[in-house]
mmCIF file of all heavy atoms in Angstrom:
data_model
loop_
_atom_site.group_PDB
_atom_site.id
_atom_site.type_symbol
_atom_site.label_atom_id
_atom_site.label_comp_id
_atom_site.label_asym_id
_atom_site.label_seq_id
_atom_site.Cartn_x
_atom_site.Cartn_y
_atom_site.Cartn_z
ATOM 1 N N SER A 909 11.891 15.171 27.245
ATOM 2 C CA SER A 909 11.921 16.031 26.054
ATOM 3 C C SER A 909 12.309 15.288 24.788
ATOM 4 O O SER A 909 12.342 15.881 23.715
ATOM 5 C CB SER A 909 12.897 17.187 26.290
ATOM 6 O OG SER A 909 14.220 16.691 26.465
ATOM 7 N N VAL A 910 12.693 14.011 24.882
ATOM 8 C CA VAL A 910 13.089 13.230 23.703
ATOM 9 C C VAL A 910 11.847 12.859 22.906
ATOM 10 O O VAL A 910 10.883 12.311 23.460
ATOM 11 C CB VAL A 910 13.862 11.965 24.116
ATOM 12 C CG1 VAL A 910 14.183 11.122 22.888
ATOM 13 C CG2 VAL A 910 15.141 12.349 24.857
ATOM 14 N N VAL A 911 11.871 13.172 21.621
ATOM 15 C CA VAL A 911 10.744 12.856 20.746
ATOM 16 C C VAL A 911 10.929 11.444 20.201
ATOM 17 O O VAL A 911 11.894 11.168 19.479
ATOM 18 C CB VAL A 911 10.635 13.870 19.590
ATOM 19 C CG1 VAL A 911 9.475 13.504 18.685
ATOM 20 C CG2 VAL A 911 10.481 15.276 20.139
ATOM 21 N N ARG A 912 10.057 10.575 20.568
ATOM 22 C CA ARG A 912 10.148 9.194 20.119
ATOM 23 C C ARG A 912 9.390 9.024 18.799
ATOM 24 O O ARG A 912 8.281 9.549 18.661
ATOM 25 C CB ARG A 912 9.568 8.233 21.160
ATOM 26 C CG ARG A 912 10.286 8.308 22.500
ATOM 27 C CD ARG A 912 9.696 7.335 23.493
ATOM 28 N NE ARG A 912 10.353 7.428 24.779
ATOM 29 C CZ ARG A 912 11.465 6.770 25.084
ATOM 30 N NH1 ARG A 912 12.028 5.966 24.173
ATOM 31 N NH2 ARG A 912 12.016 6.900 26.282
ATOM 32 N N PRO A 913 9.975 8.278 17.848
ATOM 33 C CA PRO A 913 9.248 8.061 16.585
ATOM 34 C C PRO A 913 8.022 7.190 16.801
ATOM 35 O O PRO A 913 8.007 6.306 17.657
ATOM 36 C CB PRO A 913 10.288 7.348 15.715
ATOM 37 C CG PRO A 913 11.225 6.704 16.684
ATOM 38 C CD PRO A 913 11.286 7.620 17.873
ATOM 39 N N LYS A 914 7.030 7.455 16.023
ATOM 40 C CA LYS A 914 5.802 6.676 16.121
ATOM 41 C C LYS A 914 6.001 5.287 15.533
ATOM 42 O O LYS A 914 6.747 5.093 14.576
ATOM 43 C CB LYS A 914 4.665 7.375 15.395
ATOM 44 C CG LYS A 914 4.263 8.708 16.030
ATOM 45 C CD LYS A 914 3.095 9.320 15.281
ATOM 46 C CE LYS A 914 2.666 10.631 15.933
ATOM 47 N NZ LYS A 914 1.508 11.244 15.208
ATOM 48 N N ALA A 915 5.360 4.352 16.134
ATOM 49 C CA ALA A 915 5.423 2.977 15.618
ATOM 50 C C ALA A 915 4.750 2.919 14.245
ATOM 51 O O ALA A 915 3.757 3.611 14.004
ATOM 52 C CB ALA A 915 4.728 2.019 16.589
ATOM 53 N N PRO A 916 5.334 2.148 13.327
ATOM 54 C CA PRO A 916 4.727 2.054 11.994
ATOM 55 C C PRO A 916 3.321 1.478 12.067
ATOM 56 O O PRO A 916 3.045 0.545 12.821
ATOM 57 C CB PRO A 916 5.681 1.115 11.240
ATOM 58 C CG PRO A 916 6.394 0.344 12.308
ATOM 59 C CD PRO A 916 6.498 1.274 13.482
ATOM 60 N N GLY A 917 2.447 2.072 11.320
ATOM 61 C CA GLY A 917 1.069 1.608 11.307
ATOM 62 C C GLY A 917 0.913 0.264 10.624
ATOM 63 O O GLY A 917 1.696 -0.103 9.742
ATOM 64 N N LYS A 918 -0.074 -0.479 11.045
ATOM 65 C CA LYS A 918 -0.324 -1.804 10.487
ATOM 66 C C LYS A 918 -1.455 -1.804 9.461
ATOM 67 O O LYS A 918 -1.833 -2.862 8.971
ATOM 68 C CB LYS A 918 -0.658 -2.785 11.611
ATOM 69 C CG LYS A 918 0.484 -2.975 12.606
ATOM 70 C CD LYS A 918 0.119 -4.002 13.661
ATOM 71 C CE LYS A 918 1.287 -4.211 14.627
ATOM 72 N NZ LYS A 918 0.962 -5.229 15.664
ATOM 73 N N ILE A 919 -1.970 -0.622 9.149
ATOM 74 C CA ILE A 919 -3.081 -0.557 8.197
ATOM 75 C C ILE A 919 -2.630 -1.058 6.819
ATOM 76 O O ILE A 919 -3.371 -1.767 6.127
ATOM 77 C CB ILE A 919 -3.619 0.886 8.111
ATOM 78 C CG1 ILE A 919 -4.154 1.323 9.482
ATOM 79 C CG2 ILE A 919 -4.694 0.992 7.046
ATOM 80 C CD1 ILE A 919 -4.673 2.740 9.513
ATOM 81 N N LYS A 920 -1.397 -0.689 6.440
ATOM 82 C CA LYS A 920 -0.895 -1.109 5.131
ATOM 83 C C LYS A 920 -0.820 -2.629 5.036
ATOM 84 O O LYS A 920 -1.182 -3.216 4.012
ATOM 85 C CB LYS A 920 0.474 -0.487 4.879
ATOM 86 C CG LYS A 920 1.094 -0.849 3.548
ATOM 87 C CD LYS A 920 2.452 -0.191 3.375
ATOM 88 C CE LYS A 920 3.081 -0.588 2.048
ATOM 89 N NZ LYS A 920 4.417 0.039 1.882
ATOM 90 N N HIS A 921 -0.344 -3.270 6.095
ATOM 91 C CA HIS A 921 -0.229 -4.732 6.086
ATOM 92 C C HIS A 921 -1.616 -5.386 6.043
ATOM 93 O O HIS A 921 -1.826 -6.366 5.306
ATOM 94 C CB HIS A 921 0.539 -5.199 7.314
ATOM 95 C CG HIS A 921 1.919 -4.634 7.424
ATOM 96 N ND1 HIS A 921 2.949 -5.006 6.595
ATOM 97 C CD2 HIS A 921 2.438 -3.692 8.261
ATOM 98 C CE1 HIS A 921 4.047 -4.348 6.919
ATOM 99 N NE2 HIS A 921 3.760 -3.534 7.923
ATOM 100 N N TYR A 922 -2.536 -4.864 6.819
ATOM 101 C CA TYR A 922 -3.888 -5.416 6.808
ATOM 102 C C TYR A 922 -4.549 -5.223 5.441
ATOM 103 O O TYR A 922 -5.251 -6.120 4.943
ATOM 104 C CB TYR A 922 -4.735 -4.736 7.890
ATOM 105 C CG TYR A 922 -4.308 -5.074 9.292
ATOM 106 C CD1 TYR A 922 -4.443 -4.138 10.322
ATOM 107 C CD2 TYR A 922 -3.766 -6.321 9.601
ATOM 108 C CE1 TYR A 922 -4.041 -4.449 11.618
ATOM 109 C CE2 TYR A 922 -3.363 -6.628 10.881
ATOM 110 C CZ TYR A 922 -3.506 -5.692 11.889
ATOM 111 O OH TYR A 922 -3.109 -6.010 13.168
ATOM 112 N N LEU A 923 -4.309 -4.061 4.825
ATOM 113 C CA LEU A 923 -4.893 -3.798 3.511
ATOM 114 C C LEU A 923 -4.313 -4.740 2.460
ATOM 115 O O LEU A 923 -5.046 -5.276 1.614
ATOM 116 C CB LEU A 923 -4.648 -2.347 3.119
ATOM 117 C CG LEU A 923 -5.238 -1.892 1.780
ATOM 118 C CD1 LEU A 923 -6.748 -2.057 1.776
ATOM 119 C CD2 LEU A 923 -4.853 -0.446 1.482
ATOM 120 N N THR A 924 -2.997 -4.961 2.519
ATOM 121 C CA THR A 924 -2.359 -5.890 1.575
ATOM 122 C C THR A 924 -2.899 -7.300 1.738
ATOM 123 O O THR A 924 -3.200 -7.989 0.752
ATOM 124 C CB THR A 924 -0.838 -5.881 1.782
ATOM 125 O OG1 THR A 924 -0.342 -4.553 1.617
ATOM 126 C CG2 THR A 924 -0.156 -6.801 0.777
ATOM 127 N N LEU A 925 -3.022 -7.747 2.987
ATOM 128 C CA LEU A 925 -3.556 -9.084 3.246
ATOM 129 C C LEU A 925 -4.990 -9.206 2.754
ATOM 130 O O LEU A 925 -5.379 -10.230 2.170
ATOM 131 C CB LEU A 925 -3.481 -9.387 4.740
ATOM 132 C CG LEU A 925 -4.015 -10.748 5.185
ATOM 133 C CD1 LEU A 925 -3.244 -11.875 4.521
ATOM 134 C CD2 LEU A 925 -3.967 -10.871 6.705
ATOM 135 N N THR A 926 -5.772 -8.154 2.942
ATOM 136 C CA THR A 926 -7.163 -8.175 2.485
ATOM 137 C C THR A 926 -7.235 -8.281 0.969
ATOM 138 O O THR A 926 -8.038 -9.050 0.416
ATOM 139 C CB THR A 926 -7.891 -6.909 2.958
ATOM 140 O OG1 THR A 926 -7.815 -6.829 4.385
ATOM 141 C CG2 THR A 926 -9.344 -6.934 2.528
ATOM 142 N N ILE A 927 -6.384 -7.521 0.267
ATOM 143 C CA ILE A 927 -6.378 -7.573 -1.201
ATOM 144 C C ILE A 927 -5.979 -8.955 -1.692
ATOM 145 O O ILE A 927 -6.582 -9.508 -2.632
ATOM 146 C CB ILE A 927 -5.433 -6.492 -1.761
ATOM 147 C CG1 ILE A 927 -5.988 -5.090 -1.451
ATOM 148 C CG2 ILE A 927 -5.245 -6.663 -3.262
ATOM 149 C CD1 ILE A 927 -5.055 -3.974 -1.859
ATOM 150 N N ILE A 928 -4.960 -9.558 -1.060
ATOM 151 C CA ILE A 928 -4.519 -10.900 -1.470
ATOM 152 C C ILE A 928 -5.631 -11.920 -1.265
ATOM 153 O O ILE A 928 -5.898 -12.769 -2.132
ATOM 154 C CB ILE A 928 -3.249 -11.297 -0.688
ATOM 155 C CG1 ILE A 928 -2.077 -10.397 -1.097
ATOM 156 C CG2 ILE A 928 -2.907 -12.770 -0.937
ATOM 157 C CD1 ILE A 928 -0.815 -10.651 -0.289
ATOM 158 N N LEU A 929 -6.309 -11.853 -0.114
ATOM 159 C CA LEU A 929 -7.404 -12.789 0.155
ATOM 160 C C LEU A 929 -8.554 -12.599 -0.824
ATOM 161 O O LEU A 929 -9.162 -13.578 -1.287
ATOM 162 C CB LEU A 929 -7.893 -12.614 1.590
ATOM 163 C CG LEU A 929 -6.908 -13.030 2.691
ATOM 164 C CD1 LEU A 929 -7.488 -12.721 4.065
ATOM 165 C CD2 LEU A 929 -6.573 -14.509 2.570
ATOM 166 N N LEU A 930 -8.838 -11.353 -1.179
ATOM 167 C CA LEU A 930 -9.892 -11.097 -2.155
ATOM 168 C C LEU A 930 -9.521 -11.637 -3.534
ATOM 169 O O LEU A 930 -10.371 -12.194 -4.246
ATOM 170 C CB LEU A 930 -10.179 -9.593 -2.237
ATOM 171 C CG LEU A 930 -10.927 -8.984 -1.040
ATOM 172 C CD1 LEU A 930 -11.028 -7.470 -1.194
ATOM 173 C CD2 LEU A 930 -12.313 -9.605 -0.898
ATOM 174 N N LEU A 931 -8.253 -11.490 -3.905
ATOM 175 C CA LEU A 931 -7.807 -12.031 -5.195
ATOM 176 C C LEU A 931 -7.906 -13.552 -5.214
ATOM 177 O O LEU A 931 -8.334 -14.146 -6.214
ATOM 178 C CB LEU A 931 -6.368 -11.586 -5.477
ATOM 179 C CG LEU A 931 -6.172 -10.103 -5.828
ATOM 180 C CD1 LEU A 931 -4.673 -9.776 -5.937
ATOM 181 C CD2 LEU A 931 -6.870 -9.760 -7.137
ATOM 182 N N ILE A 932 -7.510 -14.193 -4.126
ATOM 183 C CA ILE A 932 -7.607 -15.656 -4.053
ATOM 184 C C ILE A 932 -9.065 -16.099 -4.107
ATOM 185 O O ILE A 932 -9.415 -17.049 -4.826
ATOM 186 C CB ILE A 932 -6.924 -16.160 -2.762
ATOM 187 C CG1 ILE A 932 -5.418 -15.880 -2.813
ATOM 188 C CG2 ILE A 932 -7.183 -17.655 -2.571
ATOM 189 C CD1 ILE A 932 -4.693 -16.236 -1.536
ATOM 190 N N TRP A 933 -9.916 -15.405 -3.355
ATOM 191 C CA TRP A 933 -11.347 -15.767 -3.354
ATOM 192 C C TRP A 933 -11.953 -15.545 -4.733
ATOM 193 O O TRP A 933 -12.715 -16.394 -5.233
ATOM 194 C CB TRP A 933 -12.083 -14.931 -2.316
ATOM 195 C CG TRP A 933 -13.571 -15.162 -2.343
ATOM 196 C CD1 TRP A 933 -14.261 -16.184 -1.769
ATOM 197 C CD2 TRP A 933 -14.546 -14.350 -3.012
ATOM 198 N NE1 TRP A 933 -15.599 -16.076 -2.034
ATOM 199 C CE2 TRP A 933 -15.815 -14.951 -2.790
ATOM 200 C CE3 TRP A 933 -14.471 -13.179 -3.763
ATOM 201 C CZ2 TRP A 933 -16.981 -14.399 -3.314
ATOM 202 C CZ3 TRP A 933 -15.637 -12.639 -4.275
ATOM 203 C CH2 TRP A 933 -16.887 -13.242 -4.041
#
């Protein structure tokens, strides 16, 4: 019955990395 918190999503990190790579390119 214990509600476990969901693991933080990695979409934000992937999106940030994508933006940085696009800026560098």
Side-chain angles (χ1 to χ4, degrees):
S909 63
V910 176
V911 179
R912 300 181 182 274
K914 295 182 179 180
K918 297 183 178 181
I919 298 178
K920 180 180 179 181
H921 301 289
Y922 292 148
L923 182 60
T924 303
L925 179 60
T926 302
I927 293 175
I928 293 175
L929 292 176
L930 287 175
L931 288 174
I932 294 175
W933 175 81

